[in-house]
Amino acid sequence: MKRLMKMNPRDTVAVALRPIPAGEQLEFEGLTLQASQDIPQGHKIALTAFAPDEVITKYGYPIGYATAPIAAGDWVHTHNIKTNLAGEEEYDYKPELYPVTYPKRELTFQGYRRANGKVGIRNDLFIIPTVGCVNGIAEQMLTEFKAAHPDLGGFDNFTVLKHPYGCSQLGDDHRMTRSILLDAVNHPNAGGVLVFGLGCENNIVAEFRSMLGDYDESRVKFLVAQEVGDEVEAGLVLLEELYEAAKEDAREPVPLSELNIGLKCGGSDGFSGITANPLLGAFSDFIISQGGTSVLTEVPEMFGAEKMLMARAESREVYEDIVSLINNFKQYFLSYGEPVYENPSPGNKAGGISTLEDKSLGCTQKAGTSPVVDVLQYGVKLRKKGLSLLQAPGNDLVAASALAASDCQLVLFTTGRGTPFGSFVPTVKVATNNELFAKKGHWMDFNAGPLLEVPMAEVLEEFINYIIAVASGQKTRNEQNEVRELAIFKTGVTL
């Protein structure tokens, strides 16, 4: 196995592909290096000497500057490198569009055609509380219903989309809660929905219902707990009606152009930008080449790599939208007196990521090379085929929920540290390294670790086949483990 990897010919550091003990001599691209300290797997080694304040390059771009003298062979990490980023920046529109395309293939998955023309990859039954006060009753209702229908009937999953909001919220918080819940009701994976309210919340059911627009009354039911005697009994009657409506639903062949893929990472490590994120980038380019859609979010983890995304805007209008997306999120941080670049996390650092640029340049590889065609505000559904950017924070649950709410039928989630979570749509966890996949096979769905030895084309083909199987009904680990969650972004006051 190779011991070091350089991400770009311009790089001045390389990544250790296995732990390197102090004193080990390394031959790499014509250089002879001696490791001056123990260098953990996934961490960086200096390929040349750096003076203080000298720029350090990875992925072909600066990832920070040296804070102390660094010799060739030294471990480069948070003790001797610091971010170059600070506050807002000025940007220029300089298009650089070099998309990688793939031949169009007549591939299909087995999906559910909806009456409104959308396509789902699951036929799920959702109970959607309009307010957190009824979460417990919704769980009780669903427990009784599942006991009566252990075979699920025409459904793939039964889920309560629990959340703590829907009341005591003002302004943007109230609007965001309502938008995300409306998005969930209208999601193509929803084969049946019971909207369940208390009756005195500010996210009142009657108003919520009026904002849904056209909907299939056989597939969306409403219940207000304070308006009935036994709310559990009343709910079970409505769930039975949804069950009957869905029992004959069947999958049919659907072209890959109908797939909407969410791109997300969390618990990143030094291999994220080498294996799993490039794999998602290649898959994003592939699915877009087939006429499909992918969505990148985590705006704070675009900081330091945003110029690359701006250069891929398909028009000046999209470029201006990306600039606003970046600057507005920086202002959000600053409005609370928080540093814009308080990133990466302790887990990221333990895995080998030293600065936000280091993290962001690896993170944005999930978006491949395709042009950016649209920028979506939080809670807004997809409008165009191709690659879109979505406003949402880096938080795993909030960002994955935002991707799902935008009409992504599944979320692809890369991680080098591992996580058991899943959104309310199938969430494919892609391991960045072999060790994680072996240790946490009950959490992880796909292993990108072999990319250290196997060509991308080979692993990509395996991944394409796996995603088609998931889209056709094969359950992900989060589904098997009954971990399906919803998290909503909050910015303001609670009454």
Side-chain angles (χ1 to χ4, degrees):
M1 179 180 178
K2 295 184 293 184
R3 290 181 288 177
L4 300 177
M5 177 176 285
K6 195 162 71 170
M7 306 307 300
N8 185 284
R10 297 193 297 270
D11 290 357
T12 52
V13 293
V15 176
L17 301 183
R18 62 161 177 78
I20 298 173
E24 181 171 342
Q25 187 165 295
L26 304 163
E27 301 292 333
F28 182 68
E29 295 190 351
L31 298 172
T32 299
L33 302 169
Q34 186 170 22
S36 52
Q37 302 103 356
D38 291 341
I39 300 174
Q41 177 177 282
H43 286 240
K44 294 175 288 297
I45 185 172
L47 298 177
T48 186
F50 299 94
D53 298 326
E54 192 169 351
V55 167
I56 296 172
T57 302
K58 183 183 175 187
Y59 300 108
Y61 291 88
I63 60 166
Y65 64 90
T67 58
I70 298 174
D74 280 358
W75 177 32
V76 177
H77 198 38
T78 52
H79 60 287
N80 56 13
I81 182 175
K82 188 173 177 61
T83 179
N84 286 313
L85 303 174
E88 291 191 15
E89 293 188 40
E90 296 293 327
Y91 302 109
D92 295 314
Y93 182 40
K94 297 178 180 177
E96 293 184 17
L97 296 170
Y98 305 105
V100 173
T101 59
Y102 291 82
K104 188 72 180 291
R105 295 163 62 179
E106 300 303 316
L107 297 174
T108 62
F109 65 95
Q110 296 292 312
Y112 294 97
R113 288 270 184 196
R114 303 301 181 196
N116 62 4
K118 293 183 180 181
V119 174
I121 68 167
R122 292 292 181 271
N123 212 37
D124 282 355
L125 174 62
F126 293 155
I127 300 179
I128 300 182
T130 58
V131 62
C133 306
V134 297
N135 286 346
I137 298 173
E139 286 279 22
Q140 178 186 344
M141 189 188 301
L142 189 59
T143 298
E144 292 191 27
F145 186 72
K146 288 169 72 173
H149 299 286
D151 63 348
L152 302 186
F155 290 113
D156 293 304
N157 299 294
F158 295 158
T159 309
V160 178
L161 300 190
K162 295 182 293 184
H163 61 90
Y165 302 130
C167 204
S168 302
Q169 291 185 294
L170 300 169
D172 285 345
D173 281 353
H174 177 59
R175 285 190 289 273
M176 288 190 294
T177 293
R178 191 170 54 195
S179 293
I180 293 297
L181 298 180
L182 288 166
D183 288 343
V185 175
N186 287 316
H187 197 279
N189 283 5
V193 178
L194 174 59
V195 178
F196 183 32
L198 178 60
C200 55
E201 64 272 27
N202 63 346
N203 189 26
I204 192 165
V205 170
E207 185 177 336
F208 183 88
R209 182 175 186 167
S210 70
M211 299 182 71
L212 268 177
D214 293 333
Y215 64 91
D216 185 341
E217 294 185 6
S218 70
R219 298 305 180 105
V220 182
K221 305 293 182 180
F222 300 87
L223 175 63
V224 179
Q226 292 173 349
E227 294 178 358
V228 297
D230 186 330
E231 65 280 353
V232 174
E233 182 180 334
L236 290 172
V237 170
L238 295 175
L239 291 175
E240 198 65 45
E241 292 177 8
L242 294 170
Y243 185 87
E244 287 298 313
K247 68 181 182 181
E248 302 299 331
D249 290 350
R251 294 178 180 272
E252 61 181 90
V254 178
L256 292 190
S257 58
E258 296 290 349
L259 276 184
N260 305 325
I261 306 295
L263 307 169
K264 176 75 181 80
C265 61
S268 300
D269 69 352
F271 288 154
S272 294
I274 296 175
T275 60
N277 288 350
L279 174 62
L280 262 59
F283 183 76
S284 176
D285 286 340
F286 170 80
I287 207 70
I288 289 170
S289 296
Q290 309 310 305
T293 304
S294 66
V295 189
L296 181 70
T297 188
E298 302 179 275
V299 178
E301 293 173 24
M302 298 175 190
F303 298 165
E306 69 267 37
K307 292 179 182 177
M308 295 170 56
L309 294 171
M310 291 171 185
R312 287 165 52 188
E314 71 166 6
S315 67
R316 177 170 285 277
E317 180 182 4
V318 173
Y319 161 77
E320 296 290 352
D321 287 344
I322 300 174
V323 172
S324 295
L325 178 74
I326 298 297
N327 284 338
N328 289 345
F329 225 99
K330 288 182 179 179
Q331 279 302 318
Y332 162 63
F333 277 61
L334 296 171
S335 69
Y336 285 93
E338 299 294 341
V340 171
Y341 302 110
E342 189 60 35
N343 212 334
S345 71
N348 297 152
K349 293 173 184 176
I353 296 173
S354 308
T355 64
L356 183 51
E357 299 99 306
D358 192 359
K359 185 175 184 179
S360 295
L361 288 164
C363 175
T364 52
Q365 290 191 66
K366 300 191 301 293
T369 62
S370 299
V372 179
V373 300
D374 201 8
V375 177
L376 303 172
Q377 295 303 302
Y378 181 79
V380 172
K381 286 190 176 289
L382 286 164
R383 300 177 294 211
K384 294 183 178 181
K385 298 285 190 180
L387 173 65
S388 290
L389 306 184
L390 171 65
Q391 181 197 46
N395 178 274
D396 291 349
L397 273 69
V398 174
S401 296
L403 288 167
S406 74
D407 270 3
C408 291
Q409 301 113 327
L410 72 163
V411 172
L412 309 183
F413 185 97
T414 69
T415 177
R417 310 288 294 177
T419 179
F421 105 99
S423 181
F424 64 93
V425 300
T427 305
V428 174
K429 263 76 70 66
V430 182
T432 69
N433 60 82
N434 298 328
E435 292 80 5
L436 172 62
F437 192 76
K439 180 181 180 181
K440 289 294 185 182
H442 57 294
W443 288 357
M444 309 306 298
D445 296 282
F446 192 88
N447 184 19
L451 279 168
L452 295 177
E453 299 293 331
V454 178
M456 172 64 79
E458 185 176 325
V459 179
L460 175 61
E461 189 64 26
E462 182 184 353
F463 193 60
I464 291 168
N465 292 331
Y466 175 74
I467 295 301
I468 290 174
V470 169
S472 300
Q474 179 175 316
K475 289 199 171 185
T476 55
R477 292 296 188 194
N478 76 288
E479 292 180 286
Q480 294 170 24
N481 297 333
E482 294 284 343
V483 178
R484 294 183 296 277
E485 302 183 53
L486 171 69
I488 300 173
F489 195 31
K490 180 186 183 304
T491 65
V493 217
T494 298
L495 291 174

